Amino acid sequence: MPRVSIKCAAVLLTLFPILSSTTARAAELSDTEFKRLHAELQPGDSPWLTIPWKISVLNAQQSAAKEDKPIFIWAMDGHPLGCT
Amino acid sequence: MLKTRFIPVAIDQAYQRRQKDSEGEFYRKIASQGPRSNFNGTTQGFYIATASGKLLVYNNNRNPERVRRLMTEKLGEFSRLETSARRGKSIEATTVDKRFNPTPPEGGLVIRVRAKILDGYEPTTDKWQRIFQTSMSRDNLWVSKTEHQALVQGKFPESLQQRIARFHLVDNTRGEPPFWNEKDVRKLRFSASSGRLKGEAHLETADHKRGYEAAFNGIVEVKNKKVVRFDAVVLGEFWGRGKYTGEPPKGRFPLAISFTLADGSDVADQIPPQASRGWVQGYIR
């Protein structure tokens, strides 16, 4: 029994640096890294963002009737403006 | 061409094909003329139609050249229609299906959420794969009035922590993601103190096939009893896939998720959170 415990302890001691480093990586996010990532995760000036998307088909119908233009409906599972 | 010669509209058709109101009726009128007229299933794709509800084309091809060619063709067809068939009368909404028209909580907040995988993909020369591999997602987090007031008081309410963890700490960079069950939340500790947000989260499914271990850091600013800034980032290691989020990087990969207070300047600020679809009460109580 003690021999098994020693083996277990040895295995845990071997794994400890790996486990602790993984946990540490997940638990650390410095202020500098936060600021850098927050800036990086902004949409920028993609041409995509210049398209005047409407989000109501009825609202688009009203504009189409008024402006004499066809309606282009992009219909997806999940909102297309949510996958930019 | 899309900006000047069309009226572009983007929708999650899971709403419109079910809505029992004027919006849903007009959408189904158009979609029923195409091949996806069974409204018990998806009707996704793109449609070009007139204001009178006449469908000119349905397609589900994402090749830009093909889409551009179809758009040009249909503009020509549109111009040759009789004026009455082309324009139609403006349709006013006489009915509104509340289930599919949720609005952000009064007195609450809308926060933009963006996610990106920072590394881990195998190199590829496939242009479509590269688009997925470099994509950044967008969703909205809704904060209730009570939670907003708690943030103003320097607290981070448990309900908000849970909503962020279960519905927004997801890999939605390649499609609609699976969310987390309550039991998947193994560890969750977000706090607010002196304008600083800190914390950590460990989410993992019972079968261990999908998980996220991450740290949280951010800033919250309050003026005149209102949150005027909410900048935060969650960074950690994600693993696993969902039904519609196939082909993630192998093993664990770095996933960053940012949070930014919406100011209403982007039309996407009005879109309900993905996790609230059809069941707002389950998302925000």
Side-chain angles (χ1 to χ4, degrees):
Chain A
M1 195 67 175
R3 196 175 287 179
V4 173
S5 295
I6 290 165
K7 277 185 180 176
C8 284
V11 169
L12 285 170
L13 281 170
T14 308
L15 286 175
F16 181 75
I18 300 168
L19 293 170
S20 61
S21 67
T22 303
T23 306
R25 272 206 306 280
E28 285 175 11
L29 175 55
S30 70
D31 292 349
T32 306
E33 201 168 18
F34 147 63
K35 285 176 186 166
R36 182 184 65 77
L37 283 169
H38 192 266
E40 187 180 320
L41 269 70
Q42 300 303 317
D45 56 356
S46 162
W48 160 266
L49 295 170
T50 67
I51 297 171
W53 292 107
K54 293 183 182 298
I55 56 172
S56 155
V57 178
L58 216 53
N59 190 225
Q61 190 277 339
Q62 292 158 359
S63 295
K66 186 178 173 186
E67 299 177 35
D68 195 15
K69 291 177 181 175
I71 308 166
F72 183 99
I73 305 172
W74 188 11
M76 296 300 288
D77 274 309
H79 206 290
L81 301 187
C83 298
T84 56
Chain B
M1 184 161 41
L2 194 56
K3 287 162 70 173
T4 58
R5 304 196 60 190
F6 288 86
I7 303 295
V9 54
I11 59 167
D12 178 351
Q13 52 75 48
Y15 285 71
Q16 274 81 357
R17 68 181 162 87
R18 295 183 172 100
Q19 280 180 230
K20 293 180 173 61
D21 59 14
S22 309
E23 168 91 6
E25 284 165 17
F26 185 66
Y27 175 71
R28 289 191 294 275
K29 178 182 177 181
I30 293 169
S32 64
Q33 299 167 59
R36 290 188 158 172
S37 55
N38 177 358
F39 298 117
N40 291 319
T42 183
T43 58
Q44 75 170 2
F46 74 84
Y47 300 79
I48 295 177
T50 68
S52 63
K54 177 182 169 58
L55 177 67
L56 300 178
V57 70
Y58 163 83
N59 202 280
N60 195 24
N61 195 298
R62 295 183 201 179
N63 182 301
E65 286 74 29
R66 181 168 167 75
V67 174
R68 192 181 296 120
R69 183 172 58 75
L70 281 170
M71 290 169 73
T72 305
E73 277 178 20
K74 295 306 158 184
L75 273 175
E77 191 176 320
F78 178 78
S79 67
R80 291 190 293 275
L81 289 172
E82 295 289 330
T83 306
S84 58
R86 222 170 47 214
R87 300 191 73 156
K89 290 180 180 172
S90 181
I91 302 172
E92 297 300 323
T94 53
T95 50
V96 175
D97 187 338
K98 286 187 178 175
R99 184 182 172 200
F100 294 105
N101 285 277
T103 52
E106 197 174 332
L109 301 168
V110 176
I111 293 173
R112 298 170 181 164
V113 187
R114 294 190 171 91
K116 188 173 185 181
I117 291 174
L118 303 179
D119 198 5
Y121 278 114
E122 296 288 328
T124 180
T125 54
D126 184 294
K127 67 176 181 180
W128 299 108
Q129 283 300 321
R130 197 176 300 143
I131 289 170
F132 278 120
Q133 292 187 1
T134 57
S135 68
M136 184 164 65
S137 67
R138 164 75 199 265
D139 198 359
N140 288 321
L141 161 68
W142 281 0
V143 178
S144 73
K145 182 180 179 179
T146 307
E147 292 161 349
H148 182 188
Q149 289 170 342
L151 287 171
V152 167
Q153 292 163 11
K155 298 170 188 166
F156 208 119
E158 175 68 20
S159 58
L160 181 56
Q161 293 185 45
Q162 287 287 333
R163 189 174 318 114
I164 290 174
R166 290 186 56 206
F167 303 129
H168 294 283
L169 301 191
V170 294
D171 173 15
N172 54 359
T173 58
R174 296 175 308 284
E176 292 180 285
F179 299 109
W180 304 101
N181 295 323
E182 285 181 22
K183 288 181 180 175
D184 297 338
V185 182
R186 310 291 178 103
K187 182 198 243 180
L188 181 61
R189 194 168 51 222
F190 289 175
S191 64
S193 177
S194 304
R196 293 311 308 253
L197 304 171
K198 296 278 183 185
E200 55 187 323
H202 174 195
L203 312 167
E204 190 168 343
T205 53
D207 63 6
H208 312 295
K209 288 184 176 175
R210 186 166 49 86
Y212 190 37
E213 286 185 289
F216 178 62
N217 192 340
I219 294 171
V220 63
E221 284 181 14
V222 175
K223 277 184 187 167
N224 299 324
K225 296 185 179 177
K226 284 185 179 176
V227 170
V228 294
R229 182 184 181 195
F230 189 102
D231 287 348
V233 169
V234 172
L235 174 66
E237 293 183 327
F238 197 100
W239 66 94
R241 69 182 68 200
K243 187 177 179 182
Y244 304 112
T245 57
E247 301 191 53
K250 287 177 184 167
R252 289 179 174 237
F253 52 89
L255 176 71
I257 301 170
S258 75
F259 298 81
T260 311
L261 186 65
D263 60 5
S265 61
D266 182 352
V267 69
D269 293 343
Q270 300 171 43
I271 297 168
Q274 169 83 9
S276 75
R277 189 164 74 182
W279 193 46
V280 178
Q281 295 81 358
Y283 173 80
I284 188 163
R285 294 167 193 173

